[in-house]
Amino acid sequence: MELLKTLCQVQAPSGNELPLKEFILNYVNERRSNWTCQPEIIHGEEFQDCLILKFGQPRTAVYAHMDSVGFTVRYENQLVPIGSPETRTGSLLVGQDQLGPIECGLVVDENNMIRYDFGRTIQRGTNLVFKCDFKENEEYVQSCYLDNRLGVYNCLKLAESLENGVLVFSCWEEHGGGSVPYLVKFLYEKFNIRQSLISDITWVTDGVHPGKGVVISLRDKNIPRKSFVDKIISIADRSGVDYQLEVEGSGSSDGREIQVSPYPVDWCFIGAPEENVHSPREKVHKKDIAAMIALYGELLKEL
Amino acid sequence: MELLKTLCQVQAPSGNELPLKEFILNYVNERRSNWTCQPEIIHGEEFQDCLILKFGQPRTAVYAHMDSVGFTVRYENQLVPIGSPETRTGSLLVGQDQLGPIECGLVVDENNMIRYDFGRTIQRGTNLVFKCDFKENEEYVQSCYLDNRLGVYNCLKLAESLENGVLVFSCWEEHGGGSVPYLVKFLYEKFNIRQSLISDITWVTDGVHPGKGVVISLRDKNIPRKSFVDKIISIADRSGVDYQLEVEGSGSSDGREIQVSPYPVDWCFIGAPEENVHSPREKVHKKDIAAMIALYGELLKEL
Amino acid sequence: MELLKTLCQVQAPSGNELPLKEFILNYVNERRSNWTCQPEIIHGEEFQDCLILKFGQPRTAVYAHMDSVGFTVRYENQLVPIGSPETRTGSLLVGQDQLGPIECGLVVDENNMIRYDFGRTIQRGTNLVFKCDFKENEEYVQSCYLDNRLGVYNCLKLAESLENGVLVFSCWEEHGGGSVPYLVKFLYEKFNIRQSLISDITWVTDGVHPGKGVVISLRDKNIPRKSFVDKIISIADRSGVDYQLEVEGSGSSDGREIQVSPYPVDWCFIGAPEENVHSPREKVHKKDIAAMIALYGELLKEL
């Protein structure tokens, strides 16, 4: 869990994913000599701050978004949300501007405006994220940004034994998207990738429970193609991995951008469920993490 | 009207259009020997569940979406809408899960939650649609899913004598789209198609009346290019076909996806108006259906 | 300011940008012999009503939308908004239908419906825009449609001495977009353009003040890539031009469409701030216009 803990501490809200990209790139270069297969590492200005690892002859891409929710400093102590973070007075925020490192408190004032409480003015446009307080016991991990550092972690675990497949680290997912369209285009045109899995974190609800297995989402705000989801369920059934089926009317993911892209690419959201969504206290059951990694391993072989 | 009645009975909510695609494909293969020209039939995994019929040297594409609104079974008898169906207690829904065929009632409970009423639990993720009760008299047809089985019907009637043009059967229109972007791309890159007509059903309003002719929509939530719409109106004027002009601030169609696609393709929505939108009792005047078919015939010749 | 005044008087709401395109094209052909470099003039049916001026070896594109907000005539004296115009009883609207020129009053009735007050029925689908009442003193210009005729004006001033860069005149920005996706595609595929600036008008707020310089927007509803915006700020710092940094949670521009396009193109919104947004009385400080033109000149050299 040391890797996950480190991932959760990297500050990378939507629009500033570069620090996480660089962390992943370093990690890959340090570890890949131990992996079963050597990936092609694809990145650079044509991919903005995204990163792609291509293994063997891929048929399926796994998307994990690197960005997190957070806040942008506006004027007069005001904060503007990045994505939809929980806004609770007392949460600790961290960041950095030209005057130095920042650790400050979040305040929701009487007019429901979000503000920071700090001893000096913070420069306009500075990004702030939740301070990481990583906790772990036998059953659970708890931290800010398990969404989606767990999705990234899943990919890095998959990488150790992956033979054929593409791992994609994307940007801006929490705030309207913008990188998945060109990633889909590249993977379709270059490698004819028509299958994709969304390695991301979903919600504990009245039908999805912690510790009961990885979640295969049949739909959220978007509806994937039924024949593709049915194929995944039949592989999951054969695999023996614990899984749960989700049906929601709201919520979205990198899958939305694949769905509406000008490429005929199927997608399905598969990930562990969490409590305290988009808060500093996101909490996931360890069994569900293990099930997530196990199911992805099967799917990348069978799909 | 037997063809229309059969079309209305096929269960194909957004995300599961395959049954309607297969019906159309069978119909085309049975009937096309009687048609004036033989189309190229284009489909397969690169088009997901969509279907394209290409006649001659096309300049214009006609889009008819195959999918309908409906419901997805969630947990504890709950239903999640697909698109925006009417939700009225007592409506009959049909579907199928692994335990067998389903016919159940829709219930809106005291908390405005939508539920089903059935003798057993229905499997999570099962799709349900309105039960078809097709009615017809001298003036009107009434059924669920005239939107958009009438748009599909219009295409199949056009096909009988079409010489140059593309008929496109699309997916997901009722629920956020997702197939039109790659269909536009294919048709633009392959056949240089820059003109498109949306064969779909609109609303009876204070300015659009049943029996007064097919509707040419000047705008809905989206605004097509004025010069293209003006060209269509001038052809309609010369044709002698009864038509009405619509101006709305809301509502959308496959035209929206053409508008925002990365291809410079014009579009215009043209279709019969209906009452009781997205209910089991959609109702359209037969004169407007005849005018729709007649105007499309003219437009595909003249545009 | 004569050019700006003339630009403000051209009627070109979203979907009917053709009159403004033709005005710009004529202006360019009349004036370009005095320019430092001769641009390639790119337009035609493959660009719908858009216009592109390509100078030298471009690295950066400047987008200025030609369209304005306005109204479409519906039924029974009703008006449907194009974009989000101010709706205040008494505003004067102008347009033209087949019966002749129109000048009428806007009325917001007791049910908050928007209507026109005119001596005859106006044809369904007719576009109406605010009547231009252009005012100017030593400090300010005031008119309808400074958003975005000032953005267009900025481009035409830039053109006089531009050596390398692309000036893009786009459509539909005020009403959901639709031209930027194919413009981005063309510029990326043809000239490998990966940097873009949005030449548009923003708002005076509690953090952005008239007369204090051109605005560089760090974010609005969308969040551009931080490394690109940081590069722009460092050029602005070196330039000595007065500028202000904006941080907003709402508002959007052509930048949104670049962000979500399937091309890895960076963007940043840079423009003068105005008061009385989307009204007949949009008001901009002349110092901010001068700073806008100066900063764009520097950026097109340095980026």
Side-chain angles (χ1 to χ4, degrees):
Chain A
M1 294 275 116
E2 273 310 301
L3 170 59
L4 179 61
K5 184 175 174 180
T6 312
L7 285 168
C8 288
Q9 289 168 336
V10 177
Q11 299 173 19
S14 309
N16 193 20
E17 293 86 350
L18 192 56
L20 191 57
K21 179 206 159 180
E22 288 178 347
F23 174 85
I24 296 171
L25 199 55
N26 286 335
Y27 177 89
V28 168
N29 282 323
E30 280 170 18
R31 301 302 182 93
R32 68 194 166 95
S33 60
N34 303 317
W35 295 354
T36 306
C37 296
Q38 290 305 304
E40 181 181 350
I41 301 173
I42 301 166
H43 66 117
E45 272 304 298
E46 286 162 88
F47 300 93
Q48 294 182 320
D49 297 332
C50 298
L51 176 63
I52 297 172
L53 304 178
K54 184 219 158 197
F55 292 80
Q57 304 296 322
R59 300 175 306 276
T60 304
V62 179
Y63 286 82
H65 71 85
M66 293 185 285
D67 60 309
S68 76
V69 298
F71 302 90
T72 316
V73 173
R74 193 174 180 258
Y75 327 123
E76 297 165 8
N77 295 7
Q78 298 163 34
L79 296 173
V80 183
I82 298 169
S84 51
E86 184 199 74
T87 53
R88 188 188 285 196
T89 295
S91 290
L92 290 179
L93 304 177
V94 293
Q96 171 113 15
D97 66 8
Q98 287 174 307
L99 300 177
I102 297 156
E103 177 171 332
C104 62
L106 185 156
V107 178
V108 182
D109 73 15
E110 59 274 15
N111 303 316
N112 271 321
M113 295 285 280
I114 323 169
R115 298 179 179 277
Y116 64 83
D117 180 18
F118 194 49
R120 63 166 173 88
T121 295
I122 303 176
Q123 285 182 320
R124 219 172 259 209
T126 302
N127 288 322
L128 301 175
V129 295
F130 291 128
K131 186 180 180 186
C132 183
D133 179 20
F134 194 91
K135 290 176 178 168
E136 181 184 359
N137 63 25
E138 284 200 5
E139 286 188 310
Y140 285 96
V141 288
Q142 179 182 303
S143 171
C144 60
Y145 303 137
L146 293 178
D147 171 5
N148 186 33
R149 304 305 155 80
L150 255 176
V152 169
Y153 177 82
N154 177 50
C155 284
L156 294 175
K157 286 290 154 193
L158 272 175
E160 296 175 2
S161 58
L162 188 57
E163 297 182 20
N164 297 298
V166 183
L167 305 177
V168 185
F169 301 95
S170 68
C171 295
W172 282 298
E173 192 267 356
E174 298 287 6
H175 199 90
S179 69
V180 168
Y182 64 76
L183 295 165
V184 168
K185 177 180 190 293
F186 174 78
L187 295 173
Y188 184 86
E189 293 181 348
K190 191 90 173 180
F191 306 124
N192 197 24
I193 300 289
R194 289 208 296 258
Q195 302 184 118
S196 48
L197 304 175
I198 310 303
S199 173
D200 200 349
I201 301 305
T202 185
W203 312 330
V204 167
T205 62
D206 50 342
V208 165
H209 306 289
K212 298 298 182 191
V214 59
V215 172
I216 300 173
S217 182
L218 302 176
R219 61 165 291 186
D220 48 26
K221 190 179 165 186
N222 304 108
I223 302 178
R225 191 157 66 125
K226 191 170 189 304
S227 55
F228 183 65
V229 175
D230 286 349
K231 197 194 292 185
I232 285 170
I233 293 171
S234 85
I235 295 171
D237 279 337
R238 290 199 302 272
S239 74
V241 175
D242 286 335
Y243 73 88
Q244 312 178 66
L245 295 179
E246 174 184 87
V247 177
E248 291 295 331
S250 61
S252 197
S253 75
D254 278 346
R256 179 188 62 82
E257 293 186 271
I258 296 171
Q259 170 82 10
V260 302
S261 78
Y263 298 88
V265 175
D266 283 310
W267 61 278
C268 182
F269 183 111
I270 301 174
E274 73 173 22
E275 299 171 85
N276 311 324
V277 173
H278 287 182
S279 83
R281 308 166 313 286
E282 296 180 357
K283 188 176 157 189
V284 177
H285 200 291
K286 288 181 170 178
K287 277 192 183 169
D288 301 333
I289 301 174
M292 183 175 177
I293 297 168
L295 183 57
Y296 269 89
E298 284 302 307
L299 288 169
L300 283 163
K301 276 183 209 139
E302 301 295 328
L303 271 175
Chain B
M1 295 276 115
E2 273 310 300
L3 171 59
L4 179 61
K5 183 175 174 180
T6 312
L7 285 168
C8 288
Q9 288 168 335
V10 178
Q11 300 174 19
S14 309
N16 194 20
E17 293 86 351
L18 192 57
L20 190 58
K21 179 206 160 181
E22 288 179 346
F23 175 84
I24 296 171
L25 199 55
N26 286 336
Y27 177 89
V28 168
N29 282 324
E30 280 171 17
R31 300 302 182 95
R32 67 194 166 97
S33 60
N34 303 317
W35 294 354
T36 305
C37 297
Q38 289 306 303
E40 182 181 348
I41 301 173
I42 301 166
H43 66 116
E45 272 305 297
E46 286 161 89
F47 300 92
Q48 295 181 320
D49 297 331
C50 299
L51 177 62
I52 296 171
L53 304 179
K54 184 218 157 198
F55 292 79
Q57 305 296 323
R59 299 175 308 276
T60 303
V62 179
Y63 287 80
H65 71 85
M66 293 184 286
D67 59 309
S68 76
V69 299
F71 302 89
T72 316
V73 173
R74 193 173 179 258
Y75 328 123
E76 296 164 9
N77 295 9
Q78 299 163 34
L79 296 174
V80 183
I82 298 169
S84 50
E86 184 200 72
T87 52
R88 188 188 285 196
T89 294
S91 289
L92 290 179
L93 305 177
V94 293
Q96 170 113 16
D97 66 8
Q98 287 174 307
L99 300 177
I102 297 154
E103 177 171 334
C104 62
L106 185 157
V107 179
V108 182
D109 73 15
E110 58 275 15
N111 303 314
N112 271 320
M113 296 286 280
I114 323 168
R115 298 181 179 277
Y116 64 83
D117 180 19
F118 193 49
R120 61 168 173 88
T121 296
I122 303 176
Q123 285 183 319
R124 219 171 258 208
T126 302
N127 289 321
L128 301 175
V129 295
F130 291 127
K131 186 180 180 187
C132 183
D133 179 19
F134 193 91
K135 289 175 180 170
E136 182 183 0
N137 62 26
E138 285 199 6
E139 287 189 308
Y140 284 97
V141 289
Q142 179 182 304
S143 171
C144 60
Y145 303 137
L146 293 178
D147 172 4
N148 186 34
R149 304 305 157 78
L150 255 176
V152 169
Y153 176 82
N154 177 50
C155 285
L156 295 175
K157 286 291 154 191
L158 272 175
E160 296 175 3
S161 58
L162 189 58
E163 297 183 19
N164 298 296
V166 182
L167 305 177
V168 185
F169 301 95
S170 68
C171 296
W172 281 299
E173 192 266 357
E174 297 288 5
H175 199 91
S179 69
V180 169
Y182 63 76
L183 295 166
V184 168
K185 177 180 191 294
F186 174 79
L187 295 174
Y188 184 86
E189 293 181 347
K190 192 89 172 182
F191 307 123
N192 198 25
I193 300 289
R194 289 208 297 257
Q195 302 183 120
S196 47
L197 304 175
I198 311 303
S199 172
D200 200 348
I201 301 306
T202 186
W203 312 330
V204 167
T205 63
D206 50 343
V208 165
H209 307 288
K212 299 297 182 191
V214 59
V215 171
I216 300 173
S217 181
L218 301 177
R219 60 165 290 184
D220 48 26
K221 190 177 166 188
N222 304 107
I223 302 179
R225 193 157 65 126
K226 191 171 188 305
S227 54
F228 183 64
V229 175
D230 285 349
K231 196 194 293 184
I232 285 169
I233 293 172
S234 84
I235 295 170
D237 280 335
R238 289 200 303 272
S239 75
V241 176
D242 285 335
Y243 74 88
Q244 313 178 66
L245 295 179
E246 174 183 88
V247 176
E248 290 295 332
S250 61
S252 197
S253 74
D254 277 346
R256 180 187 63 81
E257 293 187 90
I258 296 171
Q259 170 81 11
V260 302
S261 79
Y263 297 88
V265 175
D266 284 309
W267 62 278
C268 182
F269 182 111
I270 301 174
E274 73 173 22
E275 298 172 84
N276 310 323
V277 173
H278 288 181
S279 81
R281 307 167 313 285
E282 297 180 356
K283 188 176 156 189
V284 178
H285 200 291
K286 287 181 171 179
K287 277 192 184 170
D288 301 333
I289 302 174
M292 182 175 177
I293 297 168
L295 183 58
Y296 269 90
E298 284 302 308
L299 289 169
L300 282 162
K301 277 183 209 139
E302 300 295 327
L303 271 175
Chain C
M1 294 277 115
E2 273 310 300
L3 171 59
L4 179 61
K5 184 176 173 180
T6 312
L7 285 167
C8 288
Q9 288 168 337
V10 177
Q11 300 175 19
S14 309
N16 194 20
E17 293 87 350
L18 192 57
L20 191 58
K21 179 206 159 181
E22 288 179 346
F23 174 84
I24 296 171
L25 198 56
N26 286 336
Y27 177 90
V28 168
N29 282 324
E30 280 171 18
R31 300 301 181 95
R32 67 194 166 94
S33 60
N34 302 316
W35 294 354
T36 304
C37 296
Q38 289 306 304
E40 182 181 348
I41 301 172
I42 301 166
H43 66 117
E45 271 305 297
E46 286 161 270
F47 300 92
Q48 294 182 321
D49 296 331
C50 299
L51 177 62
I52 296 172
L53 304 179
K54 184 218 160 199
F55 292 79
Q57 304 297 322
R59 301 175 305 278
T60 303
V62 179
Y63 286 81
H65 71 85
M66 293 185 285
D67 59 308
S68 75
V69 299
F71 301 89
T72 316
V73 172
R74 194 174 179 257
Y75 326 123
E76 297 166 8
N77 295 7
Q78 299 164 34
L79 296 174
V80 183
I82 299 170
S84 51
E86 184 199 73
T87 52
R88 189 188 286 195
T89 295
S91 290
L92 290 179
L93 304 177
V94 293
Q96 169 114 15
D97 67 7
Q98 287 173 307
L99 300 177
I102 297 155
E103 177 171 332
C104 61
L106 185 156
V107 179
V108 183
D109 74 14
E110 58 274 17
N111 302 316
N112 270 320
M113 295 286 279
I114 324 169
R115 297 179 181 277
Y116 63 83
D117 180 18
F118 193 49
R120 62 167 173 87
T121 296
I122 303 176
Q123 285 183 320
R124 219 172 259 210
T126 302
N127 288 321
L128 301 175
V129 295
F130 291 127
K131 186 179 179 188
C132 183
D133 179 20
F134 194 91
K135 290 175 179 169
E136 182 184 358
N137 62 26
E138 285 199 6
E139 287 187 309
Y140 284 97
V141 288
Q142 179 182 303
S143 172
C144 60
Y145 303 137
L146 293 178
D147 171 4
N148 186 35
R149 304 305 156 80
L150 255 177
V152 169
Y153 176 83
N154 177 50
C155 285
L156 295 176
K157 286 291 155 192
L158 272 174
E160 296 175 3
S161 57
L162 189 58
E163 296 181 20
N164 298 297
V166 182
L167 306 177
V168 185
F169 301 95
S170 69
C171 296
W172 282 299
E173 193 266 357
E174 297 288 5
H175 200 92
S179 69
V180 169
Y182 63 78
L183 294 166
V184 168
K185 176 180 192 293
F186 174 79
L187 295 173
Y188 184 86
E189 293 181 347
K190 191 90 173 181
F191 307 123
N192 197 25
I193 300 290
R194 290 208 296 257
Q195 303 184 118
S196 48
L197 304 175
I198 311 303
S199 173
D200 200 348
I201 300 306
T202 185
W203 312 329
V204 168
T205 63
D206 50 341
V208 165
H209 307 288
K212 299 297 183 192
V214 59
V215 171
I216 300 173
S217 182
L218 301 176
R219 60 166 290 184
D220 49 26
K221 190 178 166 187
N222 304 107
I223 301 179
R225 192 157 65 124
K226 191 170 187 308
S227 54
F228 183 64
V229 175
D230 284 350
K231 197 195 293 184
I232 285 169
I233 293 171
S234 83
I235 295 171
D237 279 337
R238 289 199 304 273
S239 74
V241 175
D242 286 336
Y243 73 88
Q244 312 178 67
L245 295 179
E246 174 184 87
V247 177
E248 290 295 332
S250 61
S252 196
S253 74
D254 277 346
R256 179 187 62 83
E257 292 186 272
I258 296 171
Q259 170 81 11
V260 302
S261 78
Y263 298 88
V265 176
D266 285 309
W267 62 277
C268 182
F269 182 111
I270 302 174
E274 74 172 21
E275 299 172 84
N276 310 323
V277 173
H278 287 182
S279 81
R281 308 167 313 285
E282 297 180 356
K283 188 176 156 189
V284 177
H285 200 291
K286 287 181 171 179
K287 277 192 183 169
D288 301 333
I289 301 174
M292 183 176 178
I293 297 168
L295 183 58
Y296 269 90
E298 284 302 307
L299 289 169
L300 282 163
K301 277 183 208 139
E302 301 294 328
L303 270 175

